Amino acid sequence: MNEYLAVILIIVIAIIFNNLSTKIRKLEKEISELNSKINKNILPTEIPQEATPAKESVIPSQIPIHEPNGETRSSEENTNPLPPIQKDWLNPVFEFLKQNILTVIGIFTLVLGIGYFVKYAIDKNWIGETARAGIGLCTGTVIILTGHFLRKNYKTFASIITGGGIAVLYFTTTIAFREYHIFTQNTAFVITSVITAISIILSYYYRSEVLIIFSLIGGFTAPLMISTGESNYLFLFTYLTLLNIGMLAVAFLQHWKSVGWTAYIFTSIYLFYWTVDVPELLSITFYLISYIIFYIFALLDYFRKKELSVSDILMLALINCSSILGLTYTFNELQYEPVIIFPLIFALVNVILLFREYRKRNFGTSFSVFSGITVSLITIAAALQFKTHLITSVWAIEASLLLFIWKKTGHKIFKTCFHILFPLVIIAQLITWCEYFNAKDLSIIFNPVFLTSLVTIVSTGINLYLLKNTPKETDAESNSFFEDLITIASYGVIYTAILLEITYHISDMPWAVITSVGLLYSIFYIFILLLFRKKLNIAKDLETGLIYLFMILIMINISVSTSSIVTDILSKKIQSSFYLFHLFQWIPFIYVSLKIIPDTKFHQSKISYWIISLAFIVSVSCELRHLYVVTVSHNLTDSYSATNHFNILYLPIIWTILASLFIYIGLKRNIQEYNKVGFALIGLMVLKLYGYDVWQMDNISRISAFIALGIILLLSSFTFQRLKNIIKNMVDKKEKNQGNQDL
């Protein structure tokens, strides 16, 4: 009963489709007749009306052109041709899907329906194995013939239909070989090769780019369909090479870029799988063959039109990167030398193209691209010679190359690729740094881990330079956010790379030394960034954040780390001379406080005065305490009593002097926050003195402390009174002079 209902339903659908097709043909005929009548009856009076808006249009020669340096000039002054308008390369794909999505879904559904019907027939034992394969082959042929008859009026529709028929042929052959064993592997391969050849010929005959993509996908997946699990890579890549040569011929004749990219993606996947699965010398031959084929593909327009498109430049960058990765990995696994031969050979190819541009005195996009690729390949060769880690080095240099190409061409696709690749560089570098934990007896600087980090540091420095000299897009906040994030991450990579190298080589020393050296390095690193902040084009917000971080690190280093250093010195774990090394932190601290901070916007918020005051108070107090303890103590036991004695007797005096100093500066420069800091410190000192210190002193110390503090406070008060009088006299004199001028 179900079979009869299915047949009736198919007949009804066929009748409805036939009626709809008849009506559509009638409508197309009527529309064609109406268009011909309208074209004949256009009135001459309509022509001036259409031409009128042209008078109000902007004259092309008067359109302002914005230069990269911010200047504006008219196109009359522009002697160079304008760069091509950048189009979103995804638009054609979305447009195709929007117009043909129903067709794609329809042919996919039809293929599934045929498959389910055949399965149902098999379950009912209506047909045998040979008949099943015959039905599949006949169905695919019928679908292809249907597309052939529809190609004149419905080109894209017919291409999709034909592609569906080719898919049916591929899957039928696969099932006949793998499930029913009707064919041998060689016979199945010959059949799939014939199907591929026929589909490519049909694509060229129909001039259908959609169809050839279907054909290439089928051609590249055919080996998987007929695979028996044996790794016959010589046979596989001979077939793929022939397929790529056919692709190159079609790309040359029809100028279809998509076929080359489809072939490159599948070929790279196969090559990488072979390289990881069984690294052998034979794969190097096919890497080089593929490099030549796809390099020729990328340069077709260059030799034909004397220009490089966006896709061509991207292909040049990717084929160099993927080939270097595969070839060098194979050489390393097989332990062959020298590994730098391949990047140098590829660099020589680009040098020839670069010299060709130089001879013609053509210093445009092509010259920049070839020079960038050449420099990157030579840099990769140098990095590999020093045994750096392959993926990290290649990705880091490739990221800089993409950013350089974007800088020279202005095509945003390269900047997008850089944004994708840069996080991968960070991840690869993190994995490389993990080797510090297991490595033993690494030489200073000249070890694989740090040399890899050095390559990343250099490439990161190039990235920062390129981003610094590029005007930010004011209308793209997301781009600005990404650039700021990349800048922070870049400085973080440079900082971490050097810090880990230093830490590794002092890892046998006491923990106090490691911590102190790390903090001291961090202080000097931030100091260098602040010192060259203008040349590095560091943003104001980042600049302020660095100063806050600098002050916090100073306080931590002097108060916590130096205490551990003093303890280890008195315990004879380290030499006392190390303390002198620690004192170098005062150089950047004083310079930042006196020179850099006044030249920044650090003091825009009131909290900044309290932070710098706190840093100064903590640093001076702790440093003097450490010096006192180191000087008077002979061992660790003596340091406890020396520390207690300093806190009770000398610390209140130091705080009083510092408080007087802050109040004096606040009055002289009219900064109220420094006055508040001074009085707050005096209050804290008084609470400490009368609440705790007095009860811990002997009589002589108590008398000395009170006399010294009293004299200091009186002298400070006298100084403040004199300063107030001086300021008052200056204000009165200024007002008097102003009054005389008014008279």
Side-chain angles (χ1 to χ4, degrees):
M1 185 66 180
N2 292 332
E3 292 85 351
Y4 293 117
L5 288 175
V7 172
I8 293 171
L9 182 61
I10 292 172
I11 294 172
V12 171
I13 291 173
I15 294 171
I16 294 172
F17 179 76
N18 183 54
N19 291 333
L20 288 174
S21 299
T22 304
K23 292 181 180 179
I24 290 171
R25 281 196 294 272
K26 289 181 180 179
L27 287 172
E28 288 177 345
K29 185 177 180 181
E30 292 176 2
I31 291 171
S32 178
E33 292 175 355
L34 286 172
N35 285 333
S36 61
K37 290 179 181 179
I38 291 171
N39 291 332
K40 290 179 181 179
N41 296 327
I42 293 176
L43 297 176
T45 55
E46 295 179 359
I47 296 174
Q49 295 176 357
E50 295 178 358
T52 302
K55 297 179 181 179
E56 301 175 0
S57 62
V58 179
I59 300 173
S61 61
Q62 297 176 351
I63 298 175
I65 298 172
H66 297 279
E67 295 289 346
N69 58 6
E71 297 178 357
T72 305
R73 59 184 174 88
S74 67
S75 61
E76 292 176 346
E77 302 172 2
N78 187 19
T79 57
N80 297 323
L82 291 173
I85 298 174
Q86 298 180 24
K87 296 181 179 179
D88 189 353
W89 59 282
L90 289 175
N91 282 342
V93 178
F94 290 135
E95 191 66 25
F96 172 82
L97 291 176
K98 184 172 65 176
Q99 297 181 7
N100 302 284
I101 187 65
L102 293 179
T103 307
V104 174
I105 295 174
I107 190 63
F108 180 73
T109 306
L110 177 62
V111 172
L112 285 179
I114 293 172
Y116 283 126
F117 173 74
V118 173
K119 181 180 182 301
Y120 180 78
I122 292 170
D123 293 339
K124 294 293 184 178
N125 293 320
W126 290 352
I127 52 178
E129 294 179 348
T130 305
R132 299 168 195 171
I135 289 174
L137 294 174
C138 291
T139 303
T141 305
V142 169
I143 293 174
I144 292 173
L145 291 174
T146 304
H148 174 74
F149 290 114
L150 294 174
R151 75 185 188 282
K152 291 184 179 179
N153 297 325
Y154 309 99
K155 183 178 179 181
T156 304
F157 178 80
S159 298
I160 298 173
I161 291 292
T162 306
I166 293 170
V168 171
L169 294 181
Y170 275 121
F171 288 120
T172 301
T173 305
T174 304
I175 293 172
F177 165 68
R178 299 181 71 122
E179 301 294 333
Y180 305 144
H181 307 290
I182 298 174
F183 309 132
T184 63
Q185 186 181 27
N186 292 335
T187 304
F189 177 74
V190 170
I191 293 174
T192 53
S193 299
V194 170
I195 294 170
T196 302
I198 292 173
S199 61
I200 292 175
I201 293 171
L202 287 175
S203 304
Y204 179 75
Y205 178 71
Y206 294 161
R207 302 187 185 280
S208 173
E209 191 173 2
V210 175
L211 181 56
I212 197 169
I213 292 176
F214 272 100
S215 305
L216 281 176
I217 293 173
F220 278 103
T221 54
L224 297 176
M225 297 177 185
I226 62 171
S227 174
T228 58
E230 298 178 0
S231 301
N232 190 354
Y233 288 112
L234 176 61
F235 178 79
L236 170 64
F237 279 93
T238 302
Y239 165 74
L240 294 181
T241 300
L242 294 175
L243 194 60
N244 285 331
I245 292 173
M247 172 278 303
L248 187 62
V250 172
F252 177 77
L253 295 173
Q254 295 293 342
H255 315 296
W256 290 334
K257 299 289 185 182
S258 58
V259 295
W261 280 95
T262 304
Y264 171 74
I265 292 170
F266 277 101
T267 303
S268 298
I269 293 172
Y270 277 118
L271 277 171
F272 284 141
Y273 181 81
W274 183 12
T275 304
V276 174
D277 184 33
V278 186
E280 55 182 302
L281 197 61
L282 181 62
S283 63
I284 295 174
T285 304
F286 288 102
Y287 266 109
L288 294 176
I289 292 173
S290 300
Y291 181 86
I292 294 171
I293 290 174
F294 290 107
Y295 226 69
I296 293 173
F297 165 76
L299 295 175
L300 285 177
D301 282 349
Y302 171 72
F303 289 111
R304 186 164 24 202
K305 302 178 182 178
K306 311 299 180 185
E307 63 180 18
L308 286 172
S309 64
V310 175
S311 61
D312 295 336
I313 299 171
L314 197 58
M315 175 62 75
L316 290 173
L318 290 179
I319 190 62
N320 278 287
C321 177
S322 60
S323 299
I324 291 297
L325 285 174
L327 289 168
T328 308
Y329 178 83
T330 304
F331 250 48
N332 286 335
E333 290 295 312
L334 300 177
Q335 297 182 351
Y336 287 128
E337 291 289 344
V339 294
I340 65 171
I341 184 172
F342 298 112
L344 290 180
I345 290 173
F346 296 162
L348 181 60
V349 173
N350 288 277
V351 164
I352 295 172
L353 297 170
L354 181 63
F355 183 69
R356 184 175 183 268
E357 292 294 308
Y358 178 78
R359 287 185 61 186
K360 295 188 298 183
R361 294 294 187 269
N362 184 9
F363 302 106
T365 300
S366 300
F367 180 85
S368 300
V369 170
F370 292 137
S371 61
I373 294 176
T374 301
V375 172
S376 66
L377 288 171
I378 294 174
T379 308
I380 289 174
L384 295 178
Q385 183 62 30
F386 287 105
K387 306 298 183 183
T388 61
H389 292 264
L390 174 64
I391 293 178
T392 308
S393 300
V394 173
W395 280 359
I397 297 169
E398 190 73 10
S400 298
L401 174 63
L402 291 171
L403 195 61
F404 171 77
I405 294 174
W406 167 73
K407 173 83 173 177
K408 292 297 181 181
T409 62
H411 297 296
K412 292 184 179 180
I413 181 64
F414 299 110
K415 190 177 182 182
T416 303
C417 292
F418 167 76
H419 285 161
I420 295 172
L421 188 57
F422 185 78
L424 298 179
V425 174
I426 301 296
I427 294 171
Q429 187 61 62
L430 290 173
I431 296 172
T432 303
W433 285 333
C434 290
E435 295 193 13
Y436 275 121
F437 298 102
N438 300 320
K440 295 181 179 179
D441 300 327
L442 292 178
S443 58
I444 299 175
I445 296 178
F446 294 100
N447 61 78
V449 181
F450 184 70
L451 288 175
T452 304
S453 301
L454 195 60
V455 173
T456 306
I457 288 172
V458 173
S459 66
T460 301
I462 295 172
N463 298 341
L464 291 172
Y465 175 78
L466 293 173
L467 291 173
K468 178 178 77 73
N469 292 305
T470 302
K472 292 187 178 181
E473 302 176 17
T474 56
D475 58 340
E477 294 182 0
S478 59
N479 288 340
S480 178
F481 170 76
F482 277 120
E483 289 183 12
D484 293 339
L485 189 62
I486 289 170
T487 301
I488 295 172
S490 299
Y491 287 124
V493 167
I494 298 172
Y495 165 80
T496 308
I498 301 174
L499 176 63
L500 290 176
E501 178 70 9
I502 295 172
T503 305
Y504 174 81
H505 292 293
I506 62 172
S507 57
D508 294 333
M509 301 184 72
W511 181 249
V513 175
I514 298 174
T515 305
S516 180
V517 170
L519 287 170
L520 195 61
Y521 161 74
S522 304
I523 289 168
F524 272 92
Y525 182 79
I526 297 175
F527 172 63
I528 292 172
L529 292 181
L530 292 173
L531 193 62
F532 297 100
R533 64 195 182 280
K534 294 181 180 178
K535 292 184 178 180
L536 296 174
N537 199 24
I538 295 178
K540 297 298 181 183
D541 294 338
L542 180 58
E543 185 180 88
T544 302
L546 287 174
I547 295 175
Y548 277 117
L549 181 60
F550 178 84
M551 294 298 171
I552 292 171
L553 290 176
I554 285 286
M555 287 188 286
I556 294 174
N557 189 34
I558 293 180
S559 60
V560 179
S561 177
T562 311
S563 298
S564 301
I565 292 294
V566 171
T567 302
D568 286 352
I569 289 174
L570 296 175
S571 302
K572 310 301 181 182
K573 293 181 180 179
I574 58 177
Q575 297 294 326
S576 58
S577 58
F578 186 81
Y579 190 85
L580 299 176
F581 172 76
H582 157 80
L583 293 175
F584 280 109
Q585 67 185 337
W586 282 94
I587 297 174
F589 183 37
I590 295 172
Y591 190 89
V592 169
S593 301
L594 299 180
K595 294 291 185 181
I596 294 179
I597 289 180
D599 193 35
T600 63
K601 296 183 178 180
F602 179 69
H603 283 316
Q604 283 186 336
S605 60
K606 294 182 178 180
I607 191 66
S608 62
Y609 293 99
W610 289 86
I611 292 293
I612 192 172
S613 301
L614 180 63
F616 189 73
I617 293 168
V618 171
S619 300
V620 171
S621 303
C622 292
E623 198 68 80
L624 291 175
R625 185 185 67 183
H626 298 324
L627 285 171
Y628 176 79
V629 172
V630 169
T631 304
V632 303
S633 302
H634 300 287
N635 51 51
L636 190 60
T637 305
D638 294 342
S639 66
Y640 300 128
S641 58
T643 302
N644 188 49
H645 182 71
F646 179 88
N647 291 338
I648 293 174
L649 182 60
Y650 297 111
L651 193 59
I653 297 174
I654 294 171
W655 282 2
T656 303
I657 295 172
L658 291 177
S660 303
L661 180 63
F662 280 116
I663 295 172
Y664 173 78
I665 294 173
L667 290 173
K668 184 176 181 180
R669 298 185 180 181
N670 195 23
I671 301 175
Q672 296 297 324
E673 298 304 317
Y674 282 144
N675 294 333
K676 295 177 183 178
V677 170
F679 286 115
L681 188 58
I682 288 176
L684 182 63
M685 182 273 300
V686 170
L687 288 176
K688 179 179 180 301
L689 178 64
Y690 292 106
Y692 177 79
D693 294 343
V694 172
W695 310 105
Q696 307 297 323
M697 297 179 184
D698 54 40
N699 292 328
I700 301 299
S701 299
R702 191 178 302 145
I703 294 169
S704 301
F706 278 112
I707 291 174
L709 288 176
I711 293 172
I712 292 171
L713 290 173
L714 288 173
L715 290 175
S716 300
S717 177
F718 176 71
T719 304
F720 299 150
Q721 295 299 324
R722 285 195 62 190
L723 183 62
K724 284 175 61 178
N725 291 332
I726 292 171
I727 295 173
K728 183 180 179 181
N729 292 333
M730 289 175 62
V731 172
D732 293 340
K733 187 175 181 181
K734 184 177 180 181
E735 291 177 353
K736 185 177 180 181
N737 292 334
Q738 186 68 33
N740 292 333
Q741 290 177 3
D742 294 338
L743 292 175

